[in-house]
Amino acid sequence: MFLFVARRLLMSVPTLIIVAVMVFCLVRALPGDPAIMMLGGNIDDESTLEMMRQQLGLDQPLPIQFLAWLREIFSGNLGVSVLTGQSVGALLLDRFSVTATVVLLAITTALIVAIPAGLVAAHRHNSRTDYAIVFLTILKLSMPSFWVGLMLLVVFGAMLGWLPTVGYVSMSQDFGLGVTYLILPVTSLALSEIAVMTRMMRAGSLEVMNRDYITHARAKGLPERQVLWRHVFPNAFAPTLTMVGIALAGLLAGAAVTETVFTLPGIGKLLVDSIYGRDYPVLQGALLFIALIYVLTNLLIDIAYSFFDPKVRLT
């Protein structure tokens, strides 16, 4: 196990370096000048602009800027935000706590709903229940997540007034109020993942139910519920677990739309704001942080995969 984890971490280093090069080049390709943004567009003379560019390190050649950024990364310093003056590392960790809370709650909710739904649909294959579950998943997959979020805001926020529509309150400050602010964004993200995971769980369960050991378990007289949860579920969940890893990393990295719709101060909203503000240090740090999330999430999924698939050995 230790050798597997160490080998995977070493393999991820070239990936992160390549991502760092791509991030640096893409960020520099954005139109606009952070120095002009810092000065508010009011430039009396070129000397003022040049002084600001020197202060931000933008007067150096691009290779020198990249090496300076790498040096800061390896020293544990991602730089300072051009717009707010805050440490990029502290800013990312503060915003990431919001995103992680929303995403983990959404994934947990999706699993609680999708696993039983997929098992039931497979168990009652070609029945009305199966058709209904498949229809609902296809219907949800055809709806963009941002549109679902807007509809939830309109119905439960604006029309019924049951839940707040904008803002955020941390559950550490006020647990009850914080939960009310999370219900709509968590529901919006969870609905998208429920559809995908249900289809995956149904497909995996249908494949497993045709195996000989399932027929043998039923022949021994085991109750159908026990057959489903003790024999079908562990073997059918492995592909779904891979989908969970992809979804988890994707939601952590791509929750910008949901956070923008619900005005959540998460890392996705921070990424959007840094793009508009041409905040190079925050934008670079956020994209590199997202790449690190992908690497670590895939590593954790590979480790967890071995517990559900006996054919997998971490060596």
Side-chain angles (χ1 to χ4, degrees), residues 35-277:
I36 297 177
M37 298 290 294
M38 286 288 291
L39 295 172
N42 298 320
I43 305 173
D44 297 331
D45 52 56
E46 289 296 327
S47 61
T48 304
L49 178 61
E50 187 61 28
M51 289 179 58
M52 181 58 68
R53 290 180 60 82
Q54 292 178 3
Q55 182 179 345
L56 298 176
L58 299 175
D59 60 322
Q60 301 294 326
L62 291 180
I64 302 299
Q65 294 184 39
F66 178 71
L67 292 176
W69 182 49
L70 284 184
R71 185 168 58 250
E72 290 181 347
I73 292 174
F74 287 118
S75 64
N77 177 26
L78 293 176
V80 178
S81 171
V82 172
L83 298 179
T84 65
Q86 294 178 268
S87 169
V88 174
L91 193 59
L92 289 174
L93 291 177
D94 181 56
R95 297 295 190 93
F96 180 69
S97 63
V98 178
T99 302
T101 300
V102 175
V103 169
L104 290 177
L105 287 174
I107 291 292
T108 302
T109 303
L111 285 173
I112 291 174
V113 176
I115 291 175
L119 284 173
V120 169
H123 177 57
R124 300 184 179 181
H125 184 48
N126 289 333
S127 67
R128 292 183 179 180
T129 302
D130 182 28
Y131 293 149
I133 292 175
V134 171
F135 171 76
L136 291 175
T137 57
I138 294 175
L139 180 64
K140 179 56 196 76
L141 288 173
S142 65
M143 300 178 183
S145 59
F146 71 89
W147 182 84
V148 173
L150 291 174
M151 291 301 101
L152 290 174
L153 280 176
V154 171
V155 175
F156 296 100
M159 295 177 60
L160 299 177
W162 292 353
L163 297 168
T165 57
V166 295
Y168 174 77
V169 175
S170 173
M171 290 190 293
S172 61
Q173 299 175 353
D174 188 326
F175 182 80
L177 186 60
V179 168
T180 61
Y181 276 94
L182 289 176
I183 290 176
L184 291 182
V186 167
T187 302
S188 176
L189 289 178
L191 287 174
S192 299
E193 301 309 321
I194 286 173
V196 176
M197 293 180 187
T198 299
R199 289 172 61 87
M200 183 66 70
M201 192 67 198
R202 175 182 177 273
S205 300
L206 285 174
E207 181 181 355
V208 170
M209 284 180 177
N210 294 323
R211 303 287 177 84
D212 292 338
Y213 59 83
I214 299 299
T215 304
H216 178 68
R218 287 170 173 165
K220 291 194 302 182
L222 290 178
E224 193 64 21
R225 178 173 296 183
Q226 190 172 350
V227 172
L228 289 175
W229 288 106
R230 289 187 57 182
H231 298 281
V232 176
F233 166 66
N235 295 280
F237 186 63
T240 307
L241 181 62
T242 304
M243 182 61 65
V244 170
I246 297 173
L248 180 60
L251 289 177
L252 286 171
V257 175
T258 300
E259 290 176 0
T260 302
V261 170
F262 294 98
T263 63
L264 297 176
I267 196 170
K269 184 69 164 54
L270 176 65
L271 189 61
V272 173
D273 293 340
S274 63
I275 292 174
Y276 282 122

